[in-house]
Structures are given as structure tokens and as C-alpha cells.
């Protein structure tokens, strides 16, 4: 069925109004109309109001014989703090493909955290005339997935401290008897989840009374080392005062005081699990395998050891289904998962992409966005997400701006909230040419995966023809399949028409098989060093703590996992102020941690904040509601 039935013609204004004004000026189609254009049977989605629906994973069983469409990932050059418009470009490209080129198309995006929405960054629905709508629903509660993650994460956190508390005050026998209470027939029995721990311990017995005293102790006593606990509580609010807290200060906790802290919800490993899972059964296994810390003997303690893997899956059973929405021009969108792009892999979910690829079918397009620059988001998309999904992209779009290229060419510092220096507002081709070294490295790195690279120059009103031509020439010289100028922020899909044509040609003319940057069989250090070389580093330096962690994860059997580098997004190097395409530097690894359930090891390059703070003047000053219409105002 053609998507043209729900195409909406935009009446664009100049200058471009505020994002929320544009979003509120359009009446969205009922989401059942969007589903109908996809031939999506109502049995395969649940409505969440008029403009959102959860698409059920069971649709994959129905469509398993269908062929996939083309798969496109959108990354970017190393950004300024202002962002270069990857989300906006992703939406604009899809509007061009669907509303103007009459292709079946799906946009797959991450769900944004509410923290930045009320903090400094604002929302993440795109911008201008390339947006997902309703914009307020997209940026706020959506269908409750982040709330489910918060509840699941904090249930596990509560279980950890509670288990330490109970183990500290009970004998082995008392602890065992309470874990395996008698049933109505006065017989003790193991719950189903306990058999997972018994198997892990090598205890092949099915009746509690058959365990020896030594086996009772091994089974019942996790003996968690409080100093090894990596699991923190989360909330979806920017709150700097929760970064470091002390728990257990109540008199009933009997002195079980411990220092811990809160992360923002999207930094939870459960979010990364949701993004990388391939089925409900796979999610159950990943949640159960999450490691929260070690025993005092140095063995990893998992959510299943705590008896919680099944309960966590129950809390997440609806969150596993992606949310169907629409763009301003009526093309379909799947919004699902929103993992951090530094300590996690910064991509939307595998299941959303799989559903979308089946629904668009051969000749259709699924376009997904990878967080931060291509050195981070696109690298993790290829080496982590595609490794677990088995999916192969045909094209990668790299978004560039004249502003960012001037910065990489030696322009003055760009600071969020401060006016741009005149160098960014007046023609300076020399700065652009010098800064294009950053773009060239992103192109060559991304091409190495076997995809065709198309550069999308997100045009601003101050950009000149000479500057734009300079970028196009540099991109083609670096090996890009094509490089096109886009005005989708100001004109919607019409402004990304050339980009849509270039992406179509790039997908139709792939000549190489997909290649990963490294094989999983390499050691943890060898994989880290392969990624570091792609940044331009000549070597890697490990702290004593990093060396200790690498040895521990290798001993525990986790060295075969892919690597997820936690690094600044503002430079190829570890130093955010080093712009362009640096070479010859030594990359310092401060620490190494694991998201074992999600399925990756993440080295920390420098310090990573997992709980943002609020600025002096947060975005919430501008957010209110029109009490006459019920519409949200002031969202950015």
C-alpha cells in the first residue's frame, strides 16, 4: 500500500517558527491510519491514545518470510556543543523518501530522557519542519518505557542492599530456610529461578533437604562485597545532588551504611539490554545475566543469583514493544530505547529495526540514528548492534555543518548559550578546508565497514556557496559516495530530496560485504587498541585500576564481549579541546567496567558523568500548558 495516503503537505514559514509551534500547528493522523499504510494488522499493535501505539513483537513471526528493506544509519562528524542536527536530518531524510520519492520508509529513533528535556539540551524529536509528532508526547512520558526501566533498576538495587542486610544477621541454615520456606504440604522446595543458581554452582540436586551444609552455605550466601557493587539507583531527572549519597542510615538497618549514588535512568544497563535484545526470551536471559558486583571471593553476582531475573522481565514485558509514531509529513516512526552513547552504545533498539525492515520490505528504507559522532555512535552501531542483530546496513549518512568544520579548522570555541563568534557567521573557506580533515577521517573509518557513505551538509542561513562547495569536494576526495546540501530544517522533506536520491543510489550500489573493526576472539586490550587506532591514537595507556579490571573480566570469562568505549564526543582523542583529526596521541584508559547482561565491556577514557545537573536557567522556565486548549507550550 502506498504511503502517499497519509502524506501531509507542509505550509512552511520563514523565518522558521519554534519547534513546539510547528508541532502544535499540525493535526497528526490517527495512529491507526499510519498503521494501515504499513499493512499492519490491528492484532499486532496496542493503541496508547490517538497518536501512539505499541507494535507487538509477534508481528515478526507473521513477517518472518518477508524480505528486508534497505538499512541506513545516520551518524555525524565530531560535533560542537550545539549539535549538528543528526535527529533532524534523520527525520528530514525519511520525509523526503516517503512524502516526495514515494518510498516505503521507517524512521527508527531513540526515546529521549526527560532529564535534558527539562535541563539544558531540550527535546530530541528533530527540529523545524523535520520532527516527530506529537512532539510533547515524544519528549515526555511516551508509553512509559523509561518508567519501567526505572522501576526494574531500583527493584534490583533494593534487592542488593536487602540481601547484604539479611545475610549479615542470619545463620546459613536460617537464611536457607527463609529462602526455601515450606509449602502447604510442609515440604521445602526451590523456586524455578533458584535452579539457575544451583546449576551455576554445580549443584545437581532438586530437593532442598538433599543439600549438604557446605552446599547450603554456597547456595544461600551470596557474600556480596559492598565495595565491588557497581549497580546504582536511577531516576529520569537531572539531579546533581544525588550523584553521591549514603544509604542505610535508618536505625532499623543496624549500621549497614554504604556510599552509592544515582544515575539518570537512560544510563541504566537495563536500557542497554532493551536496546540490544532480540526477543522476549533473549531479554529474560540478558536481564538475569546482569552483574551487580562480586562476592568477597571475586565471583560475579548476577540478577539471577538474587532471584530477580524473572521479575525484572515482568516489569519490562510491555517496554520491549516499540512505539509507533509519525513525522510532520505523515511518514511512520518507531521510537524505542535510549541508551547513553558513551557508557552504552547510543542506538535505538534492534527489535524496532527488525520490525521496520520487514514492514517496508524490498525497496523500502529504514533509517536509524547513532548517537554522537561516527567515531562513537556509528562505530558501536557496527561493532555492537549489528553484531547482535545480524543485520547489514547498505549506507551510512554522515551529517556535517559548516559551523562544526570551522571549529575543527581552528575556529574559536563554541559554547552553548553564548553567541557564535563572527568567524562562524562570515565566509571563511580556509577554516572549512582545514576542518574537513575531521570529516575525511569519519568517512574513511565508516567506509571500512563496507557501506557506502553519503555526506549530508546541514545548511544554515549564514553558509556560503563557496563553503558548501568546499565541503562537497573534500567529502568526495575522502571517498564519500556523494555529498549533498540539505535544508530540511527550513523546508521539511523537500529540503532533503537530493539526500534521499543519493541515499537510494548508495543503497542500490553496495559492492562490498560488511566488515567489523575487530574479531571478538581478540583480547580485551587488543580490541581496545583497534578502536584507539581508528581514533588516530598511536598507543593506549592503562591505569592500574584498568589493568586490574581487565584481568578480572578476563578471568571471569567475559573477554569475548565487544568493546563500548566511553569517551568524550567532542574529539577523536580523549581531550575534548583537541579538534580536527589528531594523530600520534596516547589514549589513556582510566577504568574498565562491564555491562555483562547487555553484552559489552566499557573502558572509561577520562571521567564520565552518568547523572547530569541542572544549569542556572533550565529549560523548565519556558515549559507550561495552555489551560484553554491543553496544549504544551515552550518545549524545545
Amino acid at each position: 500500500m502506498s504511503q502517499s495516503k497519509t502524506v501531509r503537505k507542509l505550509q512552511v514559514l520563514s523565518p522558521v517558527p519554534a519547534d513546539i509551534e510547528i508541532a502544535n500547528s499540525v493535526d497528526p493522523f490517527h495512529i491507526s491510519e499510519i498503521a494501515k499504510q504499513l499493512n499492519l494488522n490491528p492484532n499486532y499493535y496496542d493503541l496508547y491514545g490517538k497518536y501512539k501505539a505499541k507494535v507487538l513483537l509477534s508481528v515478526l513471526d507473521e513477517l518472518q518470510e518477508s524480505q528486508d528493506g534497505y538499512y541506513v544509519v545516520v551518524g555525524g562528524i565530531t560535533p560542537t556543543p550545539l549539535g549538528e542536527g543528526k535527529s533532524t536530518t534523520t527525520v528530514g531524510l525519511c520525509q523526503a523518501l516517503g512524502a516526495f520519492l514515494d518510498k516505503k520508509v521507517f524512521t527508527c529513533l531513540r526515546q529521549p530522557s526527560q532529564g535534558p528535556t527539562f535541563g539544558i539540551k531540550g527535546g530530541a524529536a528533530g527540529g523545524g519542519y523535520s520532527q516527530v509528532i506529537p512532539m510533547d508526547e515524544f519528549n515526555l512520558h511516551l508509553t512509559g518505557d523509561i518508567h519501567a526501566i526505572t522501576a526494574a533498576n531500583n527493584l534490583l538495587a533494593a534487592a542488593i542492599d536487602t540481601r547484604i542486610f539479611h545475610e549479615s544477621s542470619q545463620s546459613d541454615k536460617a537464611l536457607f530456610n527463609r529462602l526455601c520456606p515450606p509449602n502447604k504440604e510442609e515440604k521445602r522446595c526451590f523456586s524455578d529461578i533458584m535452579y539457575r543458581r544451583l546449576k551455576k554452582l554445580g549443584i545437581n540436586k532438586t530437593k532442598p533437604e538433599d543439600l549438604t551444609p557446605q552446599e547450603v552455605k554456597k547456595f544461600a550466601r551470596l557474600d556480596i562485597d559492598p565495595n565491588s557493587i557497581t549497580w546504582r539507583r536511577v531516576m529520569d531527572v537531572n539531579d546533581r545532588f544525588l550523584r553521591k549519597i549514603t544509604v542505610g542510615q535508618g536505625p532499623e538497618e543496624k549500621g549497614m551504611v554504604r556510599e552509592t549514588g544515582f544515575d539518570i535512568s537512560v544510563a541504566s544497563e537495563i536500557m542497554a539490554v532493551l536496546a540490544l535484545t532480540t526477543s522476549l526470551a533473549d531479554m529474560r536471559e540478558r536481564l538475569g545475566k546482569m552483574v551487580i558486583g562480586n562476592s568477597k571471593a571475586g565471583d560475579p553476582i548476577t540478577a539471577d543469583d538474587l532471584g530477580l531475573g524473572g521479575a525484572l522481565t515482568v516489569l519490562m514485558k510491555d517496554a520491549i514493544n516499540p512505539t509507533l509514531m509519525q513525522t510532520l509529513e505523515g511518514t511512520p516512526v518507531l521510537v524505542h530505547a535510549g541508551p547513553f552513547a558513551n557508557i552504552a552504545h547510543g542506538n535505538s533498539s534492534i527489535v524496532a529495526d527488525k520490525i521496520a525492515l520487514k514492514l517496508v520490505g524490498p525497496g523500502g528504507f529504514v533509517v536509524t540514528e547513532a548517537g554522537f559522532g561516527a567515531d562513537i555512535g556509528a562505530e558501536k552501531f557496527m561493532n555492537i548492534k549489528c553484531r547482535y542483530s545480524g543485520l547489514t546496513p547498505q549506507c551510512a549518512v554522515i551529517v556535517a555543518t559548516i559551523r562544526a568544520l570551522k571549529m575543527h579548522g581552528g575556529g574559536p570555541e563554541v559554547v552553548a548559550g553564548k553567541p557564535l563568534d563572527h568567524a562562524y557567521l562570515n565566509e571563511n573557506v580556509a577554516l572549512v578546508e582545514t576542518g574537513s580533515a575531521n570529516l575525511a577521517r569519519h568517512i574513511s573509518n565508516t567506509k571500512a565497514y563496507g557501506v557506502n557513505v553519503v555526506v549530508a551538509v546541514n545548511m544554515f542561513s549564514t553558509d556560503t556557496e563557496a563553503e558548501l562547495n568546499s565541503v562537497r569536494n573534500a567529502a568526495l576526495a575522502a571517498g564519500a559516495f556523494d555529498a549533498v546540501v540539505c535544508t530540511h530544517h527550513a523546508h521539511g522533506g523537500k529540503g532533503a530530496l537530493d539526500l534521499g536520491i543519493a541515499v537510494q543510489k548508495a543503497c542500490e550500489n553496495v559492492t562490498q560485504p560488511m566488515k567489523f573493526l575487530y574479531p571478538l576472539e581478540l583480547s580485551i586490550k587488543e580490541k581496545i587498541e583497534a578502536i584507539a587506532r581508528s581514533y588516530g591514537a598511536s598507543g593506549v595507556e592503562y591505569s592500574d585500576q584498568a589493568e586490574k579490571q581487565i584481568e578480572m573480566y578476563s578471568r571471569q570469562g567475559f573477554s569475548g564481549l565487544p568493546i563500548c568505549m566511553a569517551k568524550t564526543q567532542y574529539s577523536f582523542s580523549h581531550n575534548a579541546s583537541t579538534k580536527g583529526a589528531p594523530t600520534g596521541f596516547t589514549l589513556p584508559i582510566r577504568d574498565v567496567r562491564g555491562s555483562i547482561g547487555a553484552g559489552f565491556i566499557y573502558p572509561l577514557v577520562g571521567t564520565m558523568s552518568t547523572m547530569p545537573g541542572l544549569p542556572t536557567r533550565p529549560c523548565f522556565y519556558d515549559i507550561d500548558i495552555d489551560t484553554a486548549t491543553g496544549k504544551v507550550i515552550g518545549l524545545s
Side-chain angles (χ1 to χ4, degrees):
M1 186 179 292
S2 171
Q3 290 190 333
S4 60
K5 291 186 181 302
T6 56
V7 165
R8 181 185 295 106
K9 298 296 182 188
L10 295 177
Q11 302 297 316
V12 301
L13 302 176
S14 182
V16 179
D19 292 348
I20 189 69
E21 288 180 37
I22 294 172
N24 284 342
S25 72
V26 170
D27 290 324
F29 295 108
H30 194 285
I31 202 64
S32 61
E33 291 298 311
I34 302 294
K36 192 184 296 181
Q37 76 178 357
L38 294 161
N39 291 329
L40 185 59
N41 188 299
N43 292 332
Y44 295 120
Y45 63 87
D46 292 333
L47 293 172
Y48 277 64
K50 293 187 287 186
Y51 307 124
K52 305 186 298 288
K54 281 279 197 183
V55 180
L56 308 181
L57 296 198
S58 53
V59 74
L60 284 171
D61 298 326
E62 176 72 17
L63 297 171
Q64 62 181 331
E65 300 302 321
S66 302
Q67 289 184 293
D68 290 350
Y70 292 121
Y71 195 26
V72 180
V73 61
V74 177
I77 63 170
T78 306
T80 69
L82 306 178
E84 310 321 305
K86 284 196 318 297
S87 300
T88 307
T89 302
T90 303
V91 175
L93 168 59
C94 290
Q95 290 182 165
L97 287 165
F100 289 88
L101 297 174
D102 202 28
K103 302 294 180 185
K104 280 204 164 188
V105 65
F106 238 123
T107 312
C108 289
L109 293 175
R110 289 181 290 168
Q111 179 185 355
S113 165
Q114 287 181 178
T117 299
F118 291 106
I120 194 168
K121 180 177 175 289
Y129 287 101
S130 294
Q131 289 189 60
V132 179
I133 55 171
M135 180 247 223
D136 55 330
E137 295 183 27
F138 177 93
N139 282 313
L140 299 176
H141 306 283
L142 198 64
T143 46
D145 295 355
I146 293 180
H147 300 313
I149 288 164
T150 303
N153 185 100
N154 293 343
L155 177 61
L156 180 50
I160 294 165
D161 287 308
T162 301
R163 185 59 174 262
I164 296 172
F165 171 77
H166 287 305
E167 286 190 19
S168 72
S169 59
Q170 298 181 49
S171 67
D172 296 341
K173 186 176 179 183
L175 191 63
F176 183 73
N177 286 343
R178 286 189 172 93
L179 287 169
C180 304
N183 59 20
K184 291 177 182 177
E185 289 79 37
E186 295 300 314
K187 289 185 178 180
R188 298 187 185 278
C189 59
F190 295 117
S191 62
D192 287 346
I193 199 170
M194 290 178 175
Y195 290 108
R196 292 175 179 247
R197 176 155 177 80
L198 288 166
K199 182 179 179 182
K200 175 180 174 179
L201 295 172
I203 301 172
N204 299 311
K205 296 177 181 178
T206 58
K207 296 179 181 178
E209 60 266 26
D210 291 343
L211 269 64
T212 66
Q214 185 60 30
E215 288 171 337
V216 165
K217 181 172 184 169
K218 279 175 68 178
F219 170 79
R221 205 164 283 285
L222 300 182
D223 202 26
I224 298 168
D225 177 1
N227 294 322
S228 75
I229 296 170
T230 54
W231 199 265
R232 290 154 59 95
R233 289 161 174 83
V234 299
M235 65 190 310
D236 200 32
V237 174
N238 288 7
D239 192 345
R240 68 175 69 243
F241 284 92
L242 292 177
R243 288 171 180 165
K244 185 178 279 192
I245 62 166
T246 304
V247 295
Q249 296 191 80
E252 294 83 6
E253 280 62 66
K254 302 175 184 176
M256 301 293 294
V257 176
R258 183 171 74 85
E259 197 174 83
T260 179
F262 274 77
D263 294 331
I264 197 160
S265 294
V266 293
S268 170
E269 183 177 348
I270 296 176
M271 176 62 91
V273 166
L274 178 65
L276 288 171
T277 197
T278 54
S279 67
L280 186 60
D282 180 59
M283 183 169 75
R284 168 64 186 86
E285 293 306 308
R286 288 176 183 269
L287 291 172
K289 287 178 183 175
M290 293 188 304
V291 173
I292 60 89
N294 296 328
S295 70
K296 288 172 184 170
D299 298 318
I301 303 295
T302 67
D304 272 346
D305 287 328
L306 284 153
L308 212 59
L312 298 178
T313 310
V314 168
L315 284 170
M316 293 292 293
K317 71 178 179 65
D318 295 321
I320 198 173
N321 299 312
T323 300
L324 180 65
M325 296 187 76
Q326 63 192 283
T327 67
L328 282 169
E329 297 191 71
T331 59
V333 180
L334 281 178
V335 185
H336 202 214
F340 256 35
N342 47 37
I343 66 160
H345 64 292
N347 283 263
S348 60
S349 78
I350 286 172
V351 292
D353 290 359
K354 286 194 164 189
I355 289 170
L357 285 163
K358 295 296 184 191
L359 286 172
V360 298
F365 293 83
V366 171
V367 184
T368 187
E369 179 204 345
F372 293 159
D375 56 320
I376 300 178
E379 182 269 311
K380 294 173 183 181
F381 171 85
M382 302 293 183
N383 290 307
I384 301 176
K385 184 176 180 180
C386 289
R387 219 185 274 268
Y388 282 122
S389 70
L391 299 173
T392 301
Q394 288 76 39
C395 174
V397 174
I398 295 179
V399 179
T401 61
I402 299 297
R403 174 180 69 199
L405 292 171
K406 285 180 175 178
M407 178 191 72
H408 287 296
E413 186 181 8
V414 176
V415 180
K418 288 188 177 180
L420 284 170
D421 187 271
H422 72 90
Y424 297 104
L425 305 175
N426 296 281
E427 181 173 281
N428 192 326
V429 176
L431 271 185
V432 176
E433 287 177 344
T434 305
S436 290
N438 181 272
L439 172 62
R441 182 175 294 168
H442 283 296
I443 291 169
S444 60
N445 281 356
T446 308
K447 266 191 76 177
Y449 295 107
V451 296
N452 281 332
V453 175
V454 174
V455 173
V457 185
N458 187 16
M459 183 179 172
F460 288 73
S461 59
T462 52
D463 300 344
T464 69
E465 191 171 344
E467 290 172 333
L468 296 167
N469 286 337
S470 169
V471 180
R472 175 173 165 77
N473 292 337
L476 295 175
F481 181 87
D482 204 349
V484 293
V485 176
C486 309
T487 60
H488 44 274
H489 183 273
H491 302 115
K494 187 176 181 181
L497 200 49
D498 289 343
L499 178 60
I501 292 167
V503 165
Q504 181 181 345
K505 288 179 180 175
C507 288
E508 292 169 348
N509 288 281
V510 172
T511 56
Q512 299 181 63
M514 185 181 175
K515 298 184 286 287
F516 294 119
L517 184 60
Y518 53 82
L520 292 180
E521 296 74 34
L522 294 182
S523 69
I524 290 175
K525 280 190 173 182
E526 287 171 324
K527 286 180 280 199
I528 290 172
E529 286 153 18
I531 297 171
R533 284 193 297 273
S534 77
Y535 298 156
S538 57
V540 178
E541 184 178 78
Y542 301 90
S543 71
D544 290 344
Q545 171 68 8
E547 293 276 10
K548 187 177 103 181
Q549 292 294 99
I550 289 170
E551 187 279 325
M552 181 192 75
Y553 286 126
S554 300
R555 175 172 47 81
Q556 292 176 342
F558 302 134
S559 63
L561 294 174
I563 300 297
C564 182
M565 297 288 264
K567 176 185 81 71
T568 177
Q569 68 268 40
Y570 296 122
S571 173
F572 269 113
S573 77
H574 55 285
N575 185 347
S577 63
T578 303
K579 304 303 181 185
T583 57
F585 58 91
T586 300
L587 193 73
I589 305 298
R590 181 176 63 85
D591 199 356
V592 176
R593 298 177 189 166
S595 288
I596 306 304
F600 52 78
I601 300 291
Y602 63 98
L604 296 173
V605 184
T607 304
M608 290 291 133
S609 173
T610 49
M611 171 56 87
L614 290 170
T616 304
R617 190 191 185 284
C619 294
F620 60 61
Y621 273 93
D622 300 314
I623 298 171
D624 211 323
I625 196 159
D626 184 328
T627 54
T629 65
K631 287 191 172 184
V632 173
I633 53 178
L635 259 185
S636 61

